[in-house]
Amino acid sequence: MTTPLDILAQAPSGYAMPWVVQPGQSVALHASLPHRTQIDIVHIGCANDERQTNGRPHGPAERITVLSEVPAVAHGPQVQRLVAGAQVRADCVGLPAWSELSLVLALQRMARGAPGHVLSLQGEDGLGISLELRAHKRRSATLVVSVQPGADALELNLPSGEWLLLVLDFKADGESIGSWKLRARTALCRATVPDGIAASWTESWLPVSTPPMGEPSQLHLGTQDESHTSADVRVDLVSVLPRVCIESLAPAGLLACEEDADGPALSSWEISALREPSAACLLRGRSGKGFSVHDLAQGATLVEPQRPYSAVRGVRWDGRFQGPQQSPAHYTAVHFNSDTLLDAHWEPTTVWPVPDDLASGSYAFRLRANDQEQPSFVSFFVSGASRPRHPVAVLLPTFTYLAYANAPEGMRGEPVTKVEHPAEMRLDAVHPAHGRSIYERHPDGQGVLWGSSRHPLWSVSPGHRPWGLVADSWLLEWLTSQGQLFDVITDHDLHRLGAAALEPYRMVLTGHHPEYTSTAMWDGLWRYLQNGGRMLYLGGNGFYWRTACDEEADVIEVRRAEDGTRPSIAPPGEYYCAFTGEYGGIWRRLGRPPQQIVGIGMAAQGFERASYYRKCDDAQAVEMAFVFEGVRAETFGHSGWWGGGASGWEIDRCDADLGTPVNTWWLARSEGHAESMLRTKEELLSYVLPFKDAKARSDVALVPVGRGDVFAVGSMTWIGALQGPDTKTTDVAKITSNVIRRFLDPAPLPRKHLTE
């Protein structure tokens, strides 16, 4: 019987490459089409599909325009497979014969997680040794070591949280001529405590009826195919080498290594194996872009269809060092998860050459299957960074879109109506098969660290509640309704080009939630403002998390270090980004609070309802009259489509101790929030009883930054208050329009004169 979920799961889906494209380049659609599907291209002016109970639009009307010059073309059916789970393949040449080698590895699993494939070492005939994790229980799991050909298997106990050091080799059976046994030497290791490494090996033996012939040629870690997915497991010291290199070593000897300031720290047995590099394969986790694993012997050809996490604690980690740069030997592990999906690896369905003269903005391939009532949208962005046209740019926070992409119900923002959203329903029908957001955990509790654009992104699409792209499209629609011409640029452009992405513009407007910021983005924005640029920061919780990026792979990375409002916490020793080596966490903890660059920073969050602002003394200054022209009341922002007010959800405030410039014009502060609007944890030193918290507020401020200026509103719901019922002008819209008009005037803005 076909269920509604089955129907939703049969919707066409896809992703675009590149996700951010320049005019004159081409963008490819990579789609899976269960049915015959019409594909055309649309411009997303406004993606709002919210409706009031009377059927009228809740906020600005949806405006999605078909590009008439691009004819619709039918494609499919063409179903493309998804194979999830981290995986690494190493093709090797010249390894020792089975009878002369040892296979070394260390494994660690958590108290929860999925069973599955750990590692296979095989010859050209596909036969060899296979390791599977089975019978996952909270306290322990069973590691099954099997030998092919045949059904011989050895079961080993793997306690949760412990490292198991394992050495496998074949030995001739002295009691029976021509017979062989597989020897498994194991030792439990916990380097973080004194005497935590077993003094000797525990040996187990498995009679082997038919040993593999010849020599191995391939190591395969993690997922093999759709029916053999990766276990949730961490592995380290994966090595195939001559048995003589380690035959006499105790467990401590296998882990021992000397720190070397001139190169990687290696153990004596690794050095011995590398003297004949063609006879060994030594796979180790690495920090950097491109790959998570490298072969110390440099003889293996590596492929990583789904990259495992690197820059994670290995079997040697003893707590003395907190990052790979301090002690690489403590960070040679890689972490495999059963549900990793960074790159779908789908073949392109169609390619569209973007016209040289196409206006920048948000676009999508629209997929309309014959049996689907609602289309699917595959978003992409045409950037104006390479060909600026207008003095105003909207900086769409595409790093934040990736961070929240495919987030589950609790992390999609607050619903603003009871309307069902097609994109969300389709996501729910397949989740997590199309990839997880970095607001989730893997089955073993490991926080999701990496987000990618190379898989379906249901959250960055029409048919979603106002959060991310849909929310920011309300700003684009409002600017269009005001007759304000603008270019669209993205976080990807700012990260790639730095200040050069912003310099052509008289001013830049942010979206409602620019939370994720790379160092290159922060530096570029700082230089732009220092040199006289102007910005309207029209959101909240901005410039919050340091974000690293592997540009070639279209992947961002976030390490949730030490503090901040976060969905998971990085374990001790795993605060450094694998891609860049930078210390992760919130910018406030990294010496660059948002207050330094935009005058305000994250203060509180609460989703019960939004509230309003009251003018401060600086609002009465003659120099600031232009801001409130046409807004005479002492309070404003009492209405809005998102929560009922202009100040809500996640809000920011001024703080001189954190870097708000002393000559900032403090224009307004919010009040009247619900008791559930609570200050963020990085603000508090200890637990306190509920109290009337004057710091749980958002501020409107005009902030001097070098020779530049920032108008900051400190609220995620400000954009939702730009338009009133029946497109009526609101006080929030008047204020925003006033500031845009003044910021377009090249005359210097007034500076606040301080008195002693």
Side-chain angles (χ1 to χ4, degrees):
M1 178 179 177
T2 302
T3 68
L5 284 179
D6 293 329
I7 296 173
L8 289 168
Q10 286 293 304
S13 59
Y15 57 97
M17 287 182 62
W19 196 43
V20 177
V21 63
Q22 308 297 322
Q25 294 181 340
S26 293
V27 58
L29 168 67
H30 302 250
S32 182
L33 309 173
H35 309 283
R36 193 69 172 164
T37 302
Q38 294 287 326
I39 300 176
D40 55 12
I41 296 173
V42 297
H43 173 253
I44 302 173
C46 180
N48 177 37
D49 68 350
E50 304 290 342
R51 291 290 181 271
Q52 301 178 59
T53 54
N54 60 9
R56 300 183 65 186
H58 181 88
E62 184 178 74
R63 186 171 61 86
I64 299 175
T65 308
V66 177
L67 271 60
S68 58
E69 63 272 24
V70 184
V73 178
H75 292 267
Q78 179 193 17
V79 175
Q80 305 208 54
R81 297 186 313 146
L82 280 172
V83 182
Q87 52 180 309
V88 175
R89 295 197 305 268
D91 293 317
C92 310
V93 177
L95 293 179
W98 288 103
S99 60
E100 298 174 356
L101 66 75
S102 287
L103 170 61
V104 179
L105 73 155
L107 306 90
Q108 184 188 49
R109 46 85 59 176
M110 296 298 104
R112 47 185 164 150
H117 180 253
V118 177
L119 176 150
S120 292
L121 177 64
Q122 300 173 332
E124 294 291 342
D125 55 6
L127 305 178
I129 299 173
S130 178
L131 278 67
E132 297 271 343
L133 198 60
R134 297 182 188 169
H136 243 291
K137 297 179 181 178
R138 189 158 188 85
R139 293 186 177 180
S140 66
T142 301
L143 181 67
V144 180
V145 182
S146 57
V147 179
Q148 299 89 28
D152 304 309
L154 183 68
E155 295 188 357
L156 303 172
N157 185 50
L158 182 59
S160 64
E162 301 275 3
W163 278 101
L164 178 71
L165 192 58
L166 173 64
V167 180
L168 299 172
D169 48 37
F170 289 99
K171 290 276 193 176
D173 188 348
E175 299 179 359
S176 178
I177 298 175
S179 296
W180 291 83
K181 291 182 178 180
L182 178 71
R183 178 178 64 164
R185 291 186 286 166
T186 60
L188 293 178
C189 302
R190 191 189 301 178
T192 53
V193 299
D195 307 319
I197 300 172
S200 59
W201 296 103
T202 298
E203 291 192 354
S204 302
W205 295 85
L206 174 69
V208 177
S209 55
T210 307
M213 303 298 292
E215 65 280 328
S217 58
Q218 186 183 85
L219 264 169
H220 197 140
L221 288 79
T223 290
Q224 291 180 299
D225 53 45
E226 290 173 283
S227 59
H228 296 85
T229 56
S230 175
D232 290 303
V233 67
R234 184 168 294 191
V235 300
D236 197 0
L237 302 182
V238 177
S239 305
V240 181
L241 72 167
R243 184 172 63 235
V244 67
C245 295
I246 60 168
E247 180 70 27
S248 63
L249 292 178
L254 202 64
L255 298 182
C257 65
E258 297 295 331
E259 299 298 330
D260 186 350
D262 298 324
L266 298 175
S267 64
S268 60
W269 62 271
E270 289 171 320
I271 295 171
S272 176
L274 292 175
R275 288 179 182 144
E276 298 182 60
S278 62
C281 177
L282 309 176
L283 300 186
R284 302 292 183 267
R286 63 179 291 274
S287 295
K289 302 176 183 180
F291 288 88
S292 294
V293 172
H294 67 147
D295 176 16
L296 293 180
Q298 301 182 11
T301 301
L302 295 169
V303 180
E304 297 179 359
Q306 306 294 344
R307 290 172 62 178
Y309 293 129
S310 59
V312 296
R313 302 173 301 181
V315 65
R316 290 171 170 142
W317 188 77
D318 59 11
R320 291 181 298 144
F321 307 103
Q322 296 300 307
Q325 293 171 323
Q326 297 171 323
S327 181
H330 288 218
Y331 288 87
T332 53
V334 282
H335 193 103
F336 288 78
N337 285 111
S338 57
D339 56 350
T340 298
L341 185 70
L342 294 172
D343 192 331
H345 294 288
W346 286 349
E347 294 296 322
T349 303
T350 186
V351 177
W352 180 51
V354 179
D356 290 338
D357 59 351
L358 186 70
S360 61
S362 175
Y363 292 83
F365 292 97
R366 184 174 64 168
L367 315 181
R368 293 175 293 161
N370 294 337
D371 65 337
Q372 296 283 329
E373 181 179 346
Q374 296 287 343
S376 299
F377 295 90
V378 177
S379 67
F380 62 93
F381 302 93
V382 176
S383 169
S386 63
R387 300 180 185 182
R389 296 181 177 184
H390 306 295
V392 176
V394 176
L395 177 62
L396 292 182
T398 46
F399 278 19
T400 302
Y401 297 168
L402 286 184
Y404 284 92
N406 295 351
E409 169 63 36
M411 300 306 300
R412 296 176 190 166
E414 193 70 9
V416 299
T417 68
K418 295 183 179 180
V419 166
E420 292 185 325
H421 301 285
E424 295 186 43
M425 295 169 66
R426 288 168 175 169
L427 170 59
D428 291 338
V430 299
H431 194 65
H434 284 182
R436 290 191 184 275
S437 72
I438 65 171
Y439 279 81
E440 299 175 73
R441 297 171 184 257
H442 295 288
D444 61 352
Q446 166 69 46
V448 178
L449 305 178
W450 297 344
S452 165
S453 59
R454 294 187 184 179
H455 58 83
L457 304 175
W458 293 104
S459 305
V460 195
S461 165
H464 193 278
R465 71 191 67 176
W467 189 270
L469 172 62
V470 172
D472 290 338
S473 76
W474 287 40
L475 171 63
L476 304 182
E477 180 66 7
W478 178 77
L479 289 170
T480 301
S481 72
Q482 301 299 301
Q484 178 61 60
L485 299 176
F486 59 91
D487 288 346
V488 166
I489 59 176
T490 69
D491 283 352
H492 286 67
D493 299 305
L494 181 54
H495 174 81
R496 178 173 58 92
L497 299 172
L502 308 177
E503 286 167 353
Y505 300 104
R506 182 72 54 77
M507 69 175 179
V508 175
L509 287 71
T510 75
H512 83 132
H513 195 196
E515 183 176 359
Y516 290 85
T517 307
S518 70
T519 302
M521 291 167 57
W522 206 104
D523 292 351
L525 181 55
W526 176 264
R527 290 183 176 122
Y528 169 72
L529 293 170
Q530 289 292 315
N531 291 327
R534 295 172 177 174
M535 185 171 76
L536 273 73
Y537 169 33
L538 299 180
N541 185 217
F543 316 101
Y544 192 69
W545 288 106
R546 168 176 267 164
T547 307
C549 184
D550 186 337
E551 299 83 1
E552 293 299 318
D554 297 323
V555 179
I556 62 168
E557 176 181 20
V558 178
R559 298 281 175 141
R560 312 279 190 184
E562 294 192 65
D563 215 335
T565 301
R566 51 199 164 156
S568 60
I569 302 174
E574 297 185 13
Y575 295 165
Y576 286 86
C577 297
F579 298 160
T580 60
E582 297 173 299
Y583 193 83
I586 59 175
W587 281 107
R588 174 173 175 165
R589 289 294 301 263
L590 298 170
R592 294 186 179 189
Q595 285 87 346
Q596 288 185 7
I597 197 167
V598 293
I600 59 176
M602 178 69 162
Q605 66 176 13
F607 297 90
E608 183 176 343
R609 57 177 168 81
S611 194
Y612 62 93
Y613 292 88
R614 181 175 297 278
K615 293 177 182 177
C616 297
D617 290 345
D618 283 351
Q620 313 306 322
V622 174
E623 298 93 331
M624 293 293 101
F626 73 91
V627 175
F628 295 103
E629 183 179 345
V631 181
R632 300 181 62 183
E634 288 300 304
T635 61
F636 59 90
H638 288 268
S639 63
W641 298 105
W642 306 342
S647 174
W649 291 357
E650 297 177 5
I651 58 177
D652 302 0
R653 72 163 196 279
C654 299
D655 193 322
D657 291 339
L658 292 174
T660 301
V662 294
N663 53 345
T664 292
W665 297 95
W666 185 16
L667 302 175
R669 58 185 293 165
S670 66
E671 60 183 33
H673 290 288
E675 291 184 357
S676 58
M677 179 62 78
L678 300 176
R679 245 195 304 163
T680 52
K681 61 185 297 293
E682 64 269 20
E683 288 271 310
L684 303 175
L685 299 178
S686 64
Y687 289 109
V688 295
L689 293 173
F691 66 103
K692 188 173 180 61
D693 191 350
K695 291 187 175 182
R697 67 172 196 271
S698 59
D699 291 335
V700 176
L702 184 62
V703 187
V705 184
R707 293 189 290 115
D709 299 273
V710 176
F711 178 74
V713 303
S715 166
M716 284 183 63
T717 63
W718 181 276
I719 288 173
L722 285 172
Q723 190 179 85
D726 300 318
T727 69
K728 291 180 179 177
T729 299
T730 66
D731 45 18
V732 167
K734 289 179 181 178
I735 292 168
T736 308
S737 295
N738 292 340
V739 175
I740 290 174
R741 185 165 53 250
R742 180 61 183 87
F743 272 29
L744 284 172
D745 183 343
L749 282 133
R751 289 295 191 252
K752 187 176 183 180
H753 298 292
L754 302 177
T755 58
E756 293 296 334

